Amino acid sequence: MHRAGCLWRRVGAGLGPGLRFGDGAALGAAAGLGPEAEGDPGLLRASSPEVERQLRGLALVRGGFMSTGEEAEVLRELEPVLGRRPYQFDHWDGAICGYRETERARWGEAGRAVLGRVAAAAFPPGRPPTPLVHVLDLHPRGHVGPHVDSVKFCGCTIAGLSLLSPSVLRLRSCRAPGQWLELLLEPGSLYVLRGAARYDFTHEILRHEESFFGGRRVPRGRRLALICRNAPHDTTPDPLGNSPAFIGDAEAEPPPPPRPPQ
Ligand code: OGA
Ligand code: MN
């Protein structure tokens, strides 16, 4: 059983002691999709102008980041790996349904090219994505429920490439659930979540029945995502993947410090 996503996804809104996206000056230098970038505003819908302002540069999507040729080559490479696995419809963490997934570090020419552009465009200097890319294959009837990626295993930036079907990614404020932002993810697009969008909002991929972008229906077919994440600060990713098995363990409060002698 692959352990890729289960460690990253944390169901619900409560946040651990996550790191903030505080390196503003350094981040400004990130090429392409740094916090000053707008992405494509037509691909975003917000519950209010305030939310739009709050998440500007922190949640963005850029269409046409990957060419159709690159998409086809990456799919050719992934199909034999994914095709061997059945879709899972009852995942224990409750965050995701109707999916199969893998992690991949070695890519052909097209994968290397597009993932290199993602690293340069979306990640801050000195905080590159980890070499293992999370490949998530969602069945047409699958969806990703609202969750915040575990702060234990994922750093300040999440960047996702979408292949095959379009979909809608919705962010919802953990503190004020009436506040949301939706991103229209066309095939070939790249989205980036960082800072408040990564820590203070849940994210989800809407199921077919709910897949609307405003008045526009976004029919959900099979959708593939290549998701790049960086490591949390001051942790060295364990190359053997020898990490705690459950998010619940990982997020547990640390034990209290020893009491001073009375
Ligand atoms: C996840 C997730 C979103 C996507 O696997 O943690 O949020 O784009 N996926 O598939
Ligand atoms: Mn996630």
Side-chain angles (χ1 to χ4, degrees), residues 93-173:
D93 72 8
I96 183 165
C97 168
Y99 73 103
R100 50 195 187 185
E101 63 190 350
T102 187
E103 286 173 312
R104 194 168 182 86
R106 295 167 65 87
W107 295 88
E109 200 178 323
R112 282 200 303 276
V114 71
L115 291 166
R117 295 201 303 274
V118 172
F123 287 82
R127 305 293 309 281
T130 58
L132 274 184
V133 176
H134 178 196
V135 178
L136 180 65
D137 179 351
L138 266 191
H139 188 274
R141 283 183 288 108
H143 71 279
V144 181
H147 68 281
V148 175
D149 283 20
S150 168
V151 295
K152 184 83 178 176
F153 299 102
C154 173
C156 61
T157 304
I158 302 168
L161 287 161
S162 298
L163 291 76
L164 296 175
S165 166
S167 63
V168 177
L169 183 132
R170 180 192 287 148
L171 305 183
R172 195 181 282 286
S173 166

Side-chain angles (χ1 to χ4, degrees), residues 3 27 42 59 66 106 110 142 157 161-162 183 193 217 224 227:
R3 66 177 192 88
L27 291 166
M66 187 179 193
R106 295 167 65 87
T157 304
L161 287 161
S162 298
L183 283 63
L193 305 179
R217 183 140 203 27
L224 231 77
I227 307 168

Side-chain angles (χ1 to χ4, degrees), residues 18-154:
L19 295 157
R20 315 315 293 183
F21 195 70
D23 320 311
L27 291 166
L33 287 167
E36 284 80 34
E38 292 281 318
D40 294 338
L43 302 177
L44 297 180
R45 290 182 66 243
S47 56
S48 71
E50 288 72 35
V51 176
E52 203 177 319
R53 256 197 307 277
Q54 183 191 356
L55 295 182
R56 188 164 297 157
L58 303 179
L60 42 90
V61 52
R62 177 155 303 171
F65 195 86
M66 187 179 193
S67 72
T68 47
E70 286 172 331
E71 181 180 8
E73 190 182 319
V74 166
L75 284 170
R76 256 199 312 278
E77 185 175 334
L78 289 174
E79 287 298 8
V81 182
L82 292 168
R84 284 200 294 269
R85 303 162 191 260
Y87 284 102
Q88 298 187 47
F89 278 87
D90 51 353
H91 193 268
W92 64 268
D93 72 8
I96 183 165
C97 168
Y99 73 103
R100 50 195 187 185
E101 63 190 350
T102 187
E103 286 173 312
R104 194 168 182 86
R106 295 167 65 87
W107 295 88
E109 200 178 323
R112 282 200 303 276
V114 71
L115 291 166
R117 295 201 303 274
V118 172
F123 287 82
R127 305 293 309 281
T130 58
L132 274 184
V133 176
H134 178 196
V135 178
L136 180 65
D137 179 351
L138 266 191
H139 188 274
R141 283 183 288 108
H143 71 279
V144 181
H147 68 281
V148 175
D149 283 20
S150 168
V151 295
K152 184 83 178 176
F153 299 102
C154 173

